[in-house]
Amino acid sequence: MLIPRSAVLYGATGTWKTISAGRLARYIYKRYGKRTRLITFDGGGSGPVKSEIDAGLIIPYRPPSIRNSLAVIRRFMDGYWPKVISIPDPFKPGTTQVSARMCPTTDPEWSEIGAVVVEGWTAISKVFMADCIMNKRVINEDVPSGWTQSAPELGILDDQDFSGATWGHYNFVQQEMWRLTQAFLSQPVEYVLFTALERKGEDKETRETVIGPSIEGRQATGQSPSWVGDCIHMESYAVPKVIDVPAEGELPASKTTITEMKVRGWFKQHTDPVLNLPYPCKVRLATDLYPELEARYPSGYFPVNAEQGFDTFLAYVDELNDRGSDKGKQWIAEVDATRSKA
């Protein structure tokens, strides 16, 4: 059975998480000759991966805003994918109409898919929470509070329903997010990548300071790195840069210092300078191979720019893993040879 590699890339907005998904799609196609599915619930749009989508490397889908979003997410978890099919037209007997329907992925279709990207933990957990609040779901006997409001002065005569979240809602979201992650990891692909925003600060319910991937509920933020193989913190940082300012009118040419923003992906834990807490980071690699990774990236992070990024890092980690696999085969051969002599 195929056991896919997996990772979560988490960081603030603008830290190249979606661009890294595009880099992953290129790497998957280069190594396996397969395409990548992208399921996105984020609102940032597909601009950063437009070239990969136009080239057919990425097959994207963003679910529409519907009330039954939980059922749609569950279908994605089970390996379904939207397809345009012909169905009977209920208003015109004997004719058909074209419609999008969630359909199970066939084995031949899976054979062409090398990776699945899920954007992202943060957005999906908010969808789960919004469903609980909007429908005033009672979970673990926690009855949500609610109220209604209208605006007759603007012609809004019907009451609009509002509600707040309960502890039962948070528990449901955290459990469902774990289940979602494990379901995607069971799909027959080479790699599963999740993205998430960064959570850093005081939890409004417990007043405890938390740091890590942003998921509704403090407990999930702390546990989620263990759900996947690699946990990469995507961080932007400022670098001063001196530039030349050309002469203009009576003003002579001069130099000035600007701030240039760069991005890096941490695979080793590092401390937030304000909170004095470590960002959770890790990479799954055999212990005897880790020194080689540290020799390649001695600072504990890989640079993310136009020339290199997550794909370069992933390619080197795979190279190390392949080398470790060869060592394992050599060890078995040596043991078998010794046993034969005995």
Side-chain angles (χ1 to χ4, degrees), residues 293-315:
L293 181 65
E294 291 184 315
R296 176 74 172 266
Y297 302 107
S299 299
Y301 63 81
F302 55 87
V304 181
N305 50 48
E307 290 75 33
Q308 57 182 321
F310 182 57
D311 55 335
T312 310
F313 173 76
L314 186 60

Side-chain angles (χ1 to χ4, degrees), residues 109-258:
E109 290 170 338
W110 276 127
S111 67
E112 299 178 357
I113 304 300
V116 175
V117 177
V118 183
E119 287 191 326
W121 275 351
T122 307
I124 295 176
S125 70
K126 290 185 178 296
V127 170
F128 287 151
M129 181 61 74
D131 179 87
C132 290
I133 295 174
M134 181 175 60
N135 294 288
K136 299 180 182 178
R137 303 198 184 279
V138 179
I139 302 175
N140 297 334
E141 299 182 358
D142 287 342
V143 180
S145 59
W147 66 94
T148 61
Q149 188 178 92
S150 61
E153 66 277 10
L154 295 178
I156 304 175
L157 304 180
D158 56 319
D159 289 332
Q160 303 295 311
D161 292 327
F162 297 90
S163 180
T166 69
W167 284 111
H169 294 163
Y170 282 101
N171 290 335
F172 165 77
V173 171
Q174 292 167 18
Q175 294 171 10
E176 196 66 17
M177 288 302 299
W178 177 86
R179 186 182 185 280
L180 173 142
T181 302
Q182 302 310 308
F184 277 110
L185 295 181
S186 298
Q187 296 185 0
V189 294
E190 304 290 342
Y191 206 95
V192 180
L193 177 65
F194 301 92
T195 66
L197 290 175
E198 172 187 306
R199 187 176 190 184
K200 182 172 66 174
E202 185 180 75
D203 183 81
K204 61 184 179 181
E205 282 80 26
T206 64
R207 301 302 180 186
E208 297 180 13
T209 303
V210 294
I211 190 168
S214 179
I215 297 177
E216 292 293 312
R218 177 187 60 84
Q219 185 177 5
T221 295
Q223 294 179 354
S224 58
S226 68
W227 299 349
V228 294
D230 302 339
C231 181
I232 309 296
H233 176 221
M234 305 295 284
E235 178 189 51
S236 62
Y237 61 101
V239 176
K241 182 180 180 181
V242 177
I243 62 172
D244 294 321
V245 179
E248 183 177 356
E250 297 180 355
L251 297 177
S254 61
K255 295 182 180 293
T256 187
T257 301
I258 63 171

Side-chain angles (χ1 to χ4, degrees), residues 9-26 36 38-53 58 60 117-120 193-197 234 263 304 310:
L9 305 182
Y10 75 97
T13 298
T15 51
W16 289 38
K17 296 186 296 295
T18 302
I19 292 176
S20 296
R23 295 278 183 83
L24 171 67
R26 289 176 179 264
T36 296
L38 170 63
I39 306 164
T40 178
F41 286 82
D42 288 347
S46 60
V49 291
K50 186 178 185 300
S51 61
E52 288 80 9
I53 293 175
I58 289 181
V117 177
V118 183
E119 287 191 326
L193 177 65
F194 301 92
T195 66
L197 290 175
M234 305 295 284
V263 178
V304 181
F310 182 57

